[in-house]
Amino acid sequence: METPAVDDAPRAAALVNLTAVERNVATLRGRLRPGAVLCAVVKADGYGHGAAPVARAALAGGAEKLAVVTAGEATALRAAGVDAPLIVLGPLRGAEVAAVVATGAEPVISTDEEIDALEADGRPVAVHLKLDSGMGRLGERDPELALERCARVGASATLRLAGVMTHFATADVPGDAAFARQLETFARFAERARAAHPGIVVHAANSAATLAEPASHFDMVRTGVAIYGLDPFGADPAANGLEPALTWTSRLAAVKRIEGGGSVGYGRRWVAAAPTTIGTVAVGYADGVRRALGFAQPPTEVLVGGRRVPLAGTVSMDSFGVELPDDLPARPGDRVTLIGADGGERVTAEELAARLQTINYEIACGISARVPRVYHRDGAVVDPA
Ligand SMILES: *Cc1c(COP(=O)(O)O)cnc(C)c1O
């Protein structure tokens, strides 16, 4: 069968290179402390890439576990036929508890109420106890109380203590003192938990900690953003041997000449100083092209014909304008690259994030459901099922 090329992508597409995910996972595993395993975090629909296809690619690359946040995400992965060991980071309430137990996943808990709810469910379940070592979000703040809850889980007829964990607030800040304090607090707690519960899995590191601090690897790392080839430090992913899996493309819907004084887009915020060729790109803020990109200074750029071209005017719901140089022979239907490479030029999610004063995570998660995900292996389109 002829595999179509990714160049055939429609009006808009998020092209996801599953082979890149595999390679990123293998690269990350190669940097782990001996004995540590990798849990691939595929929450938020795999950071916008598509949870099930990415999960399969991560497992093929050597991930031993998967993690999601919500009960719905756990149920969806199982429905897609992904039956690998799964952690649900939670929190979970009410009906979500039973839904997660039904998937056979391991929930993360920290409160007595969560233990009560799981015991009331009555089915056997393995859980991870979370210590809040400084993030100030979920998790038990007091190590003594956390150890008491570990003991309670250990003594339960239906619950089993699978692991203890924490989450870092500043792993992406090189040399940060608060990170070192969190690591020390957690290491002390984990040592005591392990002494009382031999065989538990101790885990703490997100992508940034995985890359920056081997002492944070313990028995397992929970890498999210890095498996997608996005840099947890907001720099060039290539610096850590990571390869962006995502390319975001669209098409020129129209190409036209605007006379001097003519304008482009709502509010006439872009006015031609001289006759200019304008391309209309067939994606807008309903697709996840953030409207603020149209106001960025210096102007946001996308790739057309292997060249960087600046946005012209306000980003609309379904389209936005670009200023095309006179020597660029552009036609309707030509490919526009919002994230990815074209010719020798490249736009990264990190570059877009910097223009919006945000992080690459938000860029990837922000590509809306209206944009079809197209899966490929180094350029050959594949059926992800
Ligand atoms: C999202 C998340 C991760 C993964 O973080 P990255 O920075 O994407 O690697 C790990 N642990 C927890 C608890 C998370 O919520």
Side-chain angles (χ1 to χ4, degrees):
M1 196 186 85
E2 184 83 350
T3 42
V6 289
D7 292 340
D8 298 334
R11 147 185 196 274
L15 311 166
V16 179
N17 187 355
L18 297 173
T19 314
V21 174
E22 277 181 34
R23 283 192 290 258
N24 290 330
V25 169
T27 298
L28 290 162
R29 279 186 76 220
R31 295 179 58 155
L32 298 188
R33 183 191 75 68
V37 301
L38 185 145
C39 170
V41 182
V42 297
K43 62 188 176 185
D45 200 22
Y47 292 45
H49 294 64
V54 163
R56 287 191 199 94
L59 293 165
E64 301 218 344
K65 261 188 208 283
L66 303 169
V68 293
V69 161
T70 72
E73 289 169 353
T75 307
L77 268 187
R78 294 309 193 220
V82 178
D83 57 8
L86 178 62
I87 296 178
V88 181
L89 298 166
L92 303 171
R93 299 180 65 83
E96 295 166 347
V97 172
V100 167
V101 175
T103 66
E106 302 174 346
V108 171
I109 60 161
S110 52
T111 67
D112 275 319
E113 290 69 29
E114 287 167 312
I115 298 175
D116 292 342
L118 286 164
E119 289 210 300
D121 181 86
R123 287 173 286 182
V125 57
V127 305
H128 297 254
L129 204 296
K130 183 169 193 174
L131 180 77
D132 177 6
S133 59
M135 175 65 113
R137 223 169 52 171
L138 300 170
E140 172 52 55
R141 201 126 177 128
D142 178 354
E144 301 304 326
L145 279 179
L147 285 166
E148 278 175 32
R149 294 202 184 116
C150 287
R152 207 189 139 193
V153 169
S156 164
T158 54
L159 306 191
R160 180 173 70 80
L161 189 68
V164 294
M165 52 98 72
T166 196
H167 194 45
F168 295 115
T170 55
D172 58 331
V173 182
D176 185 65
F179 171 77
R181 281 197 299 277
Q182 273 200 273
L183 180 54
E184 197 190 314
T185 300
F186 178 68
R188 268 201 310 269
F189 160 77
E191 196 180 328
R192 293 173 66 194
R194 204 198 292 282
H197 308 272
I200 57 170
V201 177
V202 173
H203 50 111
N206 56 6
S207 295
T210 298
L211 292 168
E213 182 49 84
S216 72
H217 294 178
F218 297 98
D219 303 323
M220 183 173 81
V221 300
R222 303 185 306 269
T223 46
V225 82
I227 72 169
Y228 307 94
L230 298 168
D231 185 65
F233 310 101
D236 186 342
N240 278 303
L242 300 170
E243 189 185 341
L246 176 76
T247 299
W248 187 8
T249 64
S250 181
R251 299 277 170 192
L252 286 178
V255 176
K256 65 182 54 154
R257 197 80 179 152
I258 302 264
E259 297 310 316
S263 70
V264 175
Y266 284 115
R268 302 192 73 243
R269 294 185 65 114
W270 186 94
V271 178
T276 308
T277 304
I278 293 293
T280 304
V281 183
V283 280
Y285 61 75
D287 300 280
V289 182
R290 295 264 298 278
R291 191 169 175 276
L293 285 172
F295 309 130
Q297 280 305 329
T300 306
E301 293 170 332
V302 297
L303 307 181
V304 178
R307 306 256 299 262
R308 282 180 169 263
V309 302
L311 266 59
T314 312
V315 174
S316 316
M317 186 181 289
D318 313 304
S319 66
F320 65 87
V322 291
E323 204 180 320
L324 297 170
D326 287 335
D327 62 344
L328 179 68
R331 299 214 319 259
D334 282 1
R335 185 168 173 165
V336 179
T337 303
L338 291 89
I339 295 175
D342 183 5
E345 286 288 353
R346 189 173 67 124
V347 176
T348 60
E350 289 78 14
E351 174 183 326
L352 288 187
R355 291 193 194 280
L356 291 162
Q357 294 177 305
T358 185
I359 52 178
N360 45 9
Y361 299 67
E362 198 185 19
I363 301 296
C365 292
I367 301 174
S368 82
R370 187 158 84 170
V371 178
R373 271 58 175 173
V374 176
Y375 295 94
H376 67 99
R377 295 194 156 277
D378 290 339
V381 173
V382 293
D383 181 353

